[in-house]
Amino acid sequence: TQTDLQLLSAVLNAAMTDICAEEYTAELLEKVIQYYQELAQLAEKNDKMAVACSFYTKAHACMTQMAEKTNDAYWQRAISVVCEDLGRLLKKQGKIDEALKHYMRSLEIRLQLQNDTELAKDDLAIAYYNIGYLLQSKDMLEKARQLWLELDGIAPHAYKRKLEIVSRIMEAFCP
């Protein structure tokens, strides 16, 4: 319930304010991030999108600290996933411009991390898909079409999935 979410958030926030930033260990931050993400998922499941956004935003802040502390690409990717989650929730709330900013930030991070792993290619394909879908909803079809075309070459290992996406694109854009 809303009350449970508020109580859990208050407990977590109180615990975090008792610890100064220098005392945040990587282990503590990982646990806090996990709790924030679980709370966000619980809030979303209960259709409390604004509350879920708040928890994802807090997880994002902790992940940023981890990325700065560790200089690890794992945390940069995690930030891109949270940006994607925020974009998805904002889209559900009809906040298309805000959602687009988060999706674009996710893409920016993923482009910086781009490497030849299958996961990186999937991440880029997902980022382009999300932005293209959002642009489509804003009647920016030409820009969306350009982004869809960029999928070509990003995830060659996912040939079947790519064909399905392209098929849907063609149906949507070229009736």
Side-chain angles (χ1 to χ4, degrees):
T1 67
Q2 179 74 19
T3 306
D4 293 335
L5 289 171
Q6 289 173 336
L7 179 61
L8 288 169
S9 178
V11 169
L12 189 54
N13 287 336
M16 292 303 291
T17 56
D18 288 343
I19 303 169
C20 66
E22 294 79 36
E23 295 174 345
Y24 289 171
T25 64
E27 183 178 299
L28 174 65
L29 280 173
E30 283 186 63
K31 287 185 187 289
V32 169
I33 289 164
Q34 179 183 351
Y35 294 144
Y36 279 138
Q37 288 179 306
E38 289 173 5
L39 287 169
Q41 291 165 1
L42 180 62
E44 185 177 1
K45 186 185 274 185
N46 288 291
D47 210 27
K48 306 290 184 196
M49 299 306 159
V51 174
C53 281
S54 171
F55 287 128
Y56 277 127
T57 299
K58 290 175 182 181
H60 181 279
C62 291
M63 287 177 184
T64 300
Q65 283 185 336
M66 282 297 288
E68 290 170 359
K69 273 184 180 251
T70 63
N71 197 26
D72 188 344
Y74 170 84
W75 290 108
Q76 289 296 325
R77 182 184 180 275
I79 291 169
S80 79
V81 171
V82 168
C83 287
E84 186 177 284
D85 290 333
L86 284 165
R88 181 178 39 78
L89 290 176
L90 290 163
K91 181 179 72 174
K92 283 183 178 181
Q93 296 176 64
K95 299 177 180 178
I96 303 301
D97 290 335
E98 289 179 58
L100 185 58
K101 288 178 188 174
H102 286 284
Y103 282 148
M104 292 298 287
R105 178 64 182 131
S106 178
L107 175 61
E108 179 185 350
I109 292 168
R110 290 170 180 189
L111 286 170
Q112 290 171 357
L113 295 175
Q114 186 176 5
N115 59 43
D116 277 342
T117 67
E118 302 303 308
L119 178 62
K121 291 173 184 178
D122 283 347
D123 282 349
L124 279 174
I126 290 166
Y128 280 113
Y129 174 86
N130 288 333
I131 293 166
Y133 186 81
L134 208 57
L135 290 174
Q136 175 188 355
S137 71
K138 286 188 62 136
D139 292 329
M140 299 176 71
L141 298 183
E142 186 54 39
K143 179 66 175 171
R145 189 182 336 236
Q146 291 170 5
L147 286 168
W148 292 123
L149 292 175
E150 288 189 40
L151 278 172
D152 190 34
I154 289 198
H157 63 284
Y159 185 73
K160 184 177 178 185
R161 191 175 78 203
K162 235 171 59 168
L163 284 179
E164 292 169 356
I165 291 170
V166 170
S167 174
R168 286 192 312 235
I169 294 164
M170 295 310 287
E171 288 174 21
F173 293 138
C174 307

